[in-house]
């Protein structure tokens, strides 16, 4: 029997997804694995990436993460690709896509930035020359998590003139984005249909910027503005 998929859009998933570090032993059904693999295959081909779903293993987590934070993590997504200047931003952007897509399938997730095991994760990849910058734990959480503390729109954004609805909705979606140490170090500026975004969160700035861009685009609608 097919697994019952929760009907949810990516935009709805932004508000429903929360960090979950503890999981049940329920395996991800094969039909959902196929859906996730198909989305990743399309993403990888279009963007020269090597993002991969690993099931039935926890070797992508560091020993400290397993000991102190995580419980029952038996599936994860490796965030990897050929090393280049924009790799981190790409991994952030498309990592956010697969994480939120997983939420629409009724799965929980945890973006693991600083406490992953690159050697363990790389052992599951055919191409060993790629660079890995994080993993996403995925599965059925013991709980659905709780909303992280959020900044306000005024703290991270500004718009020249009267703020259009699409910009406000983009910023709202951005406020739900997972970021390193929950810093939410975004600065978003808008004028007309032009939008700029920066992120100053140290080592994770590229990843966080990609995540932020994806969230903003989903909230604002990609056809309503241009990045500058």
């Amino acid at each position: 029997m097919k697994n019952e998929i929760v009907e949810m859009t990516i935009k709805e998933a932004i508000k429903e997804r929360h960090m979950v570090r503890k999981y049940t032993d329920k395996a991800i059904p094969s039909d959902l694995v196929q859906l996730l693999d198909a989305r990743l295959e399309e993403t990888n081909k279009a963007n020269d990436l090597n993002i991969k779903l690993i099931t039935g293993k926890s070797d992508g987590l560091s020993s400290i993460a397993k000991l102190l934070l995580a419980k029952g993590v038996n599936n994860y997504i490796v965030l990897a690709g050929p090393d280049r200047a924009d790799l981190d931003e790409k991994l952030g952007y498309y990592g956010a896509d697969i994480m939120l897509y997983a939420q629409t399938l009724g799965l929980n997730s945890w973006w693991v930035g600083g406490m992953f095991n690159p050697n363990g994760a790389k052992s599951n990849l055919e191409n060993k020359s790629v660079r890995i910058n994080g993993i996403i734990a995925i599965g059925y959480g013991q709980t659905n998590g709780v909303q992280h503390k959020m900044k306000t729109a005024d703290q991270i954004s500004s718009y020249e003139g009267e703020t259009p609805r699409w910009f406000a909705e983009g910023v709202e979606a951005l406020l739900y984005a997972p970021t390193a140490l929950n810093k939410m170090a975004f600065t978003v500026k808008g004028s007309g249909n032009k939008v700029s975004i920066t992120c100053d969160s140290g080592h994770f700035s590229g990843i966080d910027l990609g995540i932020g861009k994806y969230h903003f685009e989903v909230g604002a609608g990609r056809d309503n503005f241009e990045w500058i």
Side-chain angles (χ1 to χ4, degrees):
M1 187 175 76
K2 289 277 188 180
N3 186 72
E4 182 179 350
I5 297 176
V6 178
E7 292 187 3
M8 183 188 303
T9 66
I10 293 290
K11 192 170 185 177
E12 291 169 336
I14 283 178
K15 294 184 178 181
E16 292 296 322
R17 196 213 72 85
H18 309 298
M19 179 178 65
V20 174
R21 290 173 171 165
K22 297 181 179 180
Y23 294 81
T24 70
D25 58 3
K26 180 180 178 181
I28 302 176
S30 59
D31 57 321
L32 299 195
V33 170
Q34 290 174 6
L35 289 172
L36 291 166
D37 282 342
R39 196 172 184 99
L40 288 177
E41 181 179 6
E42 181 179 355
T43 291
N44 288 334
K45 285 183 177 179
N47 300 280
D48 189 22
L49 296 173
N50 298 80
I51 305 175
K52 184 177 181 180
L53 171 66
I54 309 299
T55 59
K57 293 184 178 183
S58 62
D59 53 0
L61 274 180
S62 70
S63 298
I64 293 177
K66 293 178 184 179
L67 180 65
L68 300 179
L69 296 174
K71 183 176 181 181
V73 174
N74 288 309
N75 315 283
Y76 64 92
I77 295 166
V78 184
L79 300 169
D83 197 6
R84 57 186 189 267
D86 67 345
L87 178 61
D88 287 351
E89 183 177 329
K90 290 287 187 183
L91 293 179
Y93 188 94
Y94 290 103
D97 175 76
I98 194 64
M99 184 172 63
L100 291 169
Y101 179 63
Q103 186 73 34
T104 71
L105 302 180
L107 298 168
N108 300 108
S109 60
W110 167 30
W111 194 297
V112 186
M115 289 181 288
F116 69 99
N117 178 0
N119 292 328
K122 188 173 287 188
S123 69
N124 296 289
L125 300 180
E126 293 181 7
N127 186 348
K128 307 300 183 184
S129 66
V130 297
R131 180 163 65 85
I132 299 174
N133 197 356
I135 66 169
I136 299 172
I138 187 173
Y140 291 97
Q142 293 184 11
T143 70
N144 288 319
V146 297
Q147 180 57 50
H148 63 254
K149 184 178 180 180
M150 296 170 64
K151 291 186 176 181
T152 66
D154 289 342
Q155 287 177 303
I156 69 168
S157 70
S158 62
Y159 189 88
E160 292 184 15
E162 184 176 351
T163 304
R165 180 175 177 179
W166 61 262
F167 184 84
E169 291 184 350
V171 172
E172 181 184 15
L174 177 60
L175 290 169
Y176 285 90
T179 58
L181 305 177
N182 197 26
K183 285 185 175 181
M184 293 297 297
F186 296 112
T187 300
V188 188
K189 298 179 180 179
S191 177
N193 73 331
K194 303 294 193 298
V195 177
S196 67
I197 181 172
T198 58
C199 185
D200 183 15
S201 51
H203 172 73
F204 298 99
S205 291
I207 290 283
D208 286 355
L209 182 62
I211 297 172
K213 281 188 172 181
Y214 186 88
H215 275 243
F216 187 92
E217 286 181 11
V218 171
R222 192 63 187 88
D223 296 334
N224 289 321
F225 73 98
E226 294 181 9
W227 291 117
I228 57 172

